[in-house]
Amino acid sequence: MALLPQELFDAIIDEIRDKETLKACALVGSSFLPPSQRKLFRKVRGLGRHSRFTAAALAESPHLVSYIRDLTIYMPLTVPNSVTVAGVLRSVQNIESLVVFGRAVNWNRLEHEACSALLDCLSRPSLRRLDLKHMEGVPTALILAAMAIPVVSFFRIRTDVREEISEQLHASAPAPRLRHLILVDAGSAVRLICDSLLHPRNPACTQKIEHLEIPIDQDNVSYAERIMAACAVTLKYLAVYATDLMRLPLLPFVLEVEIKVFVGDNRRLPVFFSHNFSQIASSLPLAETITLVVFVRPLRFRPEIEWPNEGPLPIFGPSFMNRTQLLHLRRVHCILRRQSTFGDISALFDHFVPAMGSMLPGLQGTGILTCTLGDPQQ
C-alpha cells in the first residue's frame, strides 16, 4: 500500500459516513490513520456533557484539535468540564462553525476560564457561524464579538437588561462581518442587539446583512422595525415570527419573505394577520417568494374542527392577475407545521389546503400556490 499515493487513501476515507467504520480504518495503518482522524474529528458534538470518549481522545492526542471545524459544546458548571472545554476552545484555530448550549444557566454562574476561552474563540478569522442557545445573562462583550461573525443565531437567550453598553466596549469591538442574523425567542437580547447594531460607533454593522430572521411582539416591535429599516439597502431575505401588529419599512431588494404565525385551538389566524400580510405588497416590491408557516398544536382527545373561512386577502382576490403590485411574485408556499413532535395534524391539513385556496383565490390555477405538511419545529 505504500506504493499508492496518499491522495487515494484520502479519497477512500472521504466517502465513508459511518463512525465505526472510520474508527476501524484508523487502525489499518499509517496511510489510513490521518484521513480517518480528520474525518472523525471534523465534527465534534456534545463536548462538555456526553462525549467522554471525545474529551479523553483530545486530551491524549492534542493534535486532534487541529482537525475540528464544526464544534458543539455544552457550557458546563463543573470545574473539570470547564477546563476541558476551555482547553479545546483556546486550541482550535481553524473552527468554522460553533454551537454553544447554555443549558438554561446564567453566564455569571459559569467558570471564568470557559467564558474567557469562548470570547477568545469568537475572534477566530475562520469562524463563519455561531449558534448560541438557552443561556441567560449573556454579556454585551459577547454580543459585540458576534457581530464579527458572518452568520449568527441566538435562540432563547437572555441578556442582563440592567447592563449598559459602554463606549469602551464599542471602541474595542472587532470589524463587523455580519451577513445573516437569526433571532428566535430572543427576549431582552433583541433590545441589546438592536442597540449594538445601531450604535453610532458601529455604522457598518448593518450594512452587509442580507438575511434577517426576527420575532415581532409587544416587547420588541420597535426594535425589530429599527433593525429592518437599518438593513433595508442590503436585505434580500426576511423571516418574521409575528405575534403582534408589525410595520414593515420599505425593503426594496428583498426577494424572499417568510411569515410565521401560530393558530390556536379555534383554527383561526390571528386578527392582525391580514394587516401584516397585506404590507408585503407595498413594502417588498421585488418579492419573488412568499412563505407562510402556520404552527398549530394538535387538538387532544377531540376530533379536528373545520378551518374557518376568513375570506380572501385583498391583493390575492380573483383579480390578482391584473395586479400592479408584486409583479415579480413567482411562488406562494403555505406550510402547516406542528409545534411539537407529539400528535397528528394530517386531518387538519385536509382542511388547511382549501382554506388557503379561499384565502388566496387569485392564485388558484396559476401554479404559484403550493401547500405542504411540514415537520415539527426544531
Side-chain angles (χ1 to χ4, degrees):
M1 288 197 299
L3 298 178
L4 298 175
Q6 182 63 41
E7 290 81 1
L8 179 60
F9 299 114
D10 294 349
I12 293 172
I13 297 300
D14 193 51
E15 295 299 317
I16 299 174
R17 301 292 180 263
D18 179 62
K19 279 195 171 184
E20 294 305 317
T21 303
L22 286 169
K23 292 177 184 178
C25 288
L27 302 175
V28 170
S30 58
S31 296
F32 280 80
L33 180 60
S36 298
Q37 288 182 332
R38 277 197 296 270
K39 192 74 178 288
L40 276 168
F41 288 91
R42 180 178 180 84
K43 293 183 179 180
V44 174
R45 298 283 189 263
L47 188 66
R49 189 173 71 171
H50 312 298
S51 51
R52 294 182 179 178
F53 163 76
T54 301
L58 294 174
E60 184 177 338
S61 304
H63 73 282
L64 297 176
V65 176
S66 66
Y67 298 147
I68 297 176
R69 299 293 183 271
D70 189 338
L71 176 62
T72 299
I73 65 174
Y74 288 80
M75 293 302 282
L77 296 177
T78 63
V79 174
N81 280 349
S82 290
V83 171
T84 300
V85 168
V88 172
L89 287 171
R90 293 194 186 282
S91 300
V92 62
Q93 295 298 317
N94 298 306
I95 188 168
E96 298 171 1
S97 176
L98 176 62
V99 180
V100 182
F101 283 89
R103 293 193 291 176
V105 299
N106 194 290
W107 176 274
N108 296 317
R109 293 178 59 197
L110 299 172
E111 293 293 325
H112 173 75
E113 183 68 16
C115 294
S116 176
L118 173 58
L119 285 171
D120 289 344
C121 186
L122 299 189
S123 65
R124 301 281 192 276
S126 61
L127 187 59
R128 307 294 301 173
R129 178 171 184 133
L130 168 69
D131 290 81
L132 187 65
K133 304 182 178 184
H134 300 285
M135 187 175 291
E136 299 178 2
V138 175
T140 304
L142 191 150
I143 301 294
L144 291 175
M147 299 301 105
I149 301 169
V151 180
V152 177
S153 172
F154 293 127
F155 181 80
R156 292 184 180 173
I157 69 166
R158 299 292 183 268
T159 55
D160 187 347
V161 296
R162 300 166 299 177
E163 185 177 17
E164 296 295 331
I165 305 175
S166 70
E167 294 297 320
Q168 183 178 2
L169 269 178
H170 273 290
S172 60
R177 296 189 297 155
L178 190 60
R179 301 285 195 283
H180 186 149
L181 177 62
I182 305 169
L183 302 173
V184 181
D185 192 16
S188 62
V190 174
R191 178 194 67 82
L192 184 57
I193 291 167
C194 178
D195 289 344
S196 301
L197 286 170
L198 304 179
H199 193 278
R201 281 190 176 273
N202 296 333
C205 270
T206 59
Q207 293 178 2
K208 299 178 181 179
I209 296 178
E210 298 179 354
H211 185 128
L212 178 66
E213 299 182 39
I214 193 165
I216 297 179
D217 55 43
Q218 277 187 332
D219 295 331
N220 67 32
V221 61
S222 63
Y223 296 108
E225 290 168 4
R226 289 172 60 198
I227 292 177
M228 288 188 289
C231 303
V233 176
T234 55
L235 201 61
K236 296 179 180 178
Y237 176 97
L238 173 67
V240 294
Y241 193 165
T243 60
D244 204 345
L245 284 171
M246 67 181 185
R247 294 183 298 274
L248 286 178
L250 178 62
L251 302 172
F253 304 110
V254 168
L255 303 177
E256 184 173 354
V257 60
E258 181 173 327
I259 295 184
K260 305 176 184 180
V261 296
F262 171 74
V263 171
D265 291 350
N266 63 1
R267 301 321 193 205
R268 185 176 292 276
L269 289 165
V271 293
F272 53 79
F273 174 77
S274 179
H275 172 270
N276 288 352
F277 200 87
S278 65
Q279 290 186 73
I280 294 175
S282 57
S283 298
L284 284 65
L286 293 185
E288 298 175 353
T289 300
I290 300 173
T291 301
L292 171 63
V293 183
V294 179
F295 291 100
V296 298
R297 53 174 173 254
L299 298 178
R300 304 187 67 181
F301 312 117
R302 54 195 175 106
E304 191 55 68
I305 65 175
E306 290 280 346
W307 193 289
N309 187 343
E310 301 179 72
L313 293 173
I315 192 174
F316 294 101
S319 61
F320 171 75
M321 296 308 292
N322 300 323
R323 67 194 185 275
T324 58
Q325 295 176 310
L326 292 177
L327 299 177
H328 300 272
L329 188 65
R330 300 291 180 267
R331 184 172 184 244
V332 176
H333 188 193
C334 300
I335 305 173
L336 185 67
R337 181 168 291 168
R338 301 196 305 274
Q339 272 200 312
S340 68
T341 57
F342 301 103
D344 182 18
I345 58 171
S346 56
L348 178 60
F349 184 68
D350 293 337
H351 303 314
F352 176 75
V353 175
M356 295 301 101
S358 64
M359 190 173 71
L360 307 166
L363 302 183
Q364 297 280 37
T366 63
I368 294 176
L369 178 63
T370 59
C371 297
T372 58
L373 183 61
D375 294 327
Q377 186 179 24
Q378 301 297 316

